[in-house]
Amino acid sequence: MKKIITIAILMFSFVSFAQIKVIETVPVERLGKVNNNYIQKIGDEYTVYYTSIQSDDESSSLRKFTFKNVNNDYNSLYSIIVNGFTANPLYDIKLELPNNYIWLHYTGSVLPEKATVQFMVSSKDASSVTSSVSEPLLKDQINKLFQK
C-alpha cells in the first residue's frame, strides 16, 4: 500500500510540475513580395519589411514597421499609398503608427506610371531615435506588395 501511495505522489508531482507546455501558435503569412521588401501577417498584426537605402545607423539594411489591422488599417494604408500616386501635385503624406512616424515621399515623373514612393520611417521612442528611407517603389510594385 505504501508503494502505491508513493508511486501516486511521484506521478502527481511529475504531472503538475511539467517543464514542457503546448502553446497555441498563430500562423505566419507572407503576403506580397517585391525584391527584398515584403509584408508579413501574424494574426491581426501586419509587418512591412523594406530595404533601407539610407539610415541613421549602419546596422542591417532590412527594416520594418508594424501595425494592427484595427479598423481595416491594412486596406486603408494601401488606399492612402495608391491615392498619393494620383495627387496633383505629388506631395508627402505623414502617417502616425503606434511606434513610428511614416512619411510617404512621392517622386514625380513625366509619365504617371513612373512615379515612385518611398517610406521614410522614424521611431517615436525618444531613447532610440532612428530613421530610415526605403528604396523607391512604383505603383505596380505597391500593388504586388499588398497583393492587389
Side-chain angles (χ1 to χ4, degrees):
M1 186 68 167
K2 287 182 182 181
K3 289 183 181 181
I4 295 175
I5 292 174
T6 306
I7 293 174
I9 290 173
L10 285 175
M11 292 301 280
F12 178 72
S13 66
F14 285 125
V15 172
S16 63
F17 298 110
Q19 294 181 36
I20 300 174
K21 297 178 185 176
V22 176
I23 299 174
E24 183 179 337
T25 58
V26 179
V28 176
E29 290 180 62
R30 183 176 277 189
L31 303 176
K33 182 175 184 192
V34 175
N35 302 328
N36 290 330
N37 309 300
Y38 62 95
I39 298 177
Q40 180 175 290
K41 179 184 175 197
I42 302 174
D44 67 342
E45 188 171 85
Y46 289 87
T47 303
V48 178
Y49 291 89
Y50 61 93
T51 303
S52 176
I53 59 171
Q54 176 185 346
S55 64
D56 287 345
D57 58 358
E58 297 300 322
S59 60
S60 173
S61 65
L62 191 62
R63 302 296 179 122
K64 68 179 179 176
F65 59 88
T66 302
F67 61 94
K68 290 189 181 247
N69 194 26
V70 177
N71 293 319
N72 204 16
D73 289 337
Y74 177 74
N75 289 323
S76 296
L77 177 61
Y78 170 75
S79 296
I80 291 167
I81 294 171
V82 170
N83 290 338
F85 282 108
T86 58
N88 192 9
L90 293 177
Y91 59 94
D92 291 356
I93 300 170
K94 184 177 181 180
L95 305 173
E96 182 179 5
L97 296 179
N99 298 319
N100 304 93
Y101 292 109
I102 299 174
W103 286 267
L104 302 174
H105 176 68
Y106 292 89
T107 306
S109 175
V110 177
L111 302 172
E113 60 272 359
K114 296 296 180 183
T116 62
V117 64
Q118 289 178 287
F119 302 126
M120 302 172 84
V121 182
S122 67
S123 173
K124 281 185 177 180
D125 185 11
S127 65
S128 66
V129 178
T130 58
S131 62
S132 59
V133 179
S134 74
E135 65 182 312
L137 298 169
L138 297 166
K139 185 176 180 181
D140 290 341
Q141 291 175 314
I142 292 294
N143 290 334
K144 186 176 178 184
L145 189 64
F146 281 82
Q147 289 189 326
K148 303 289 183 180

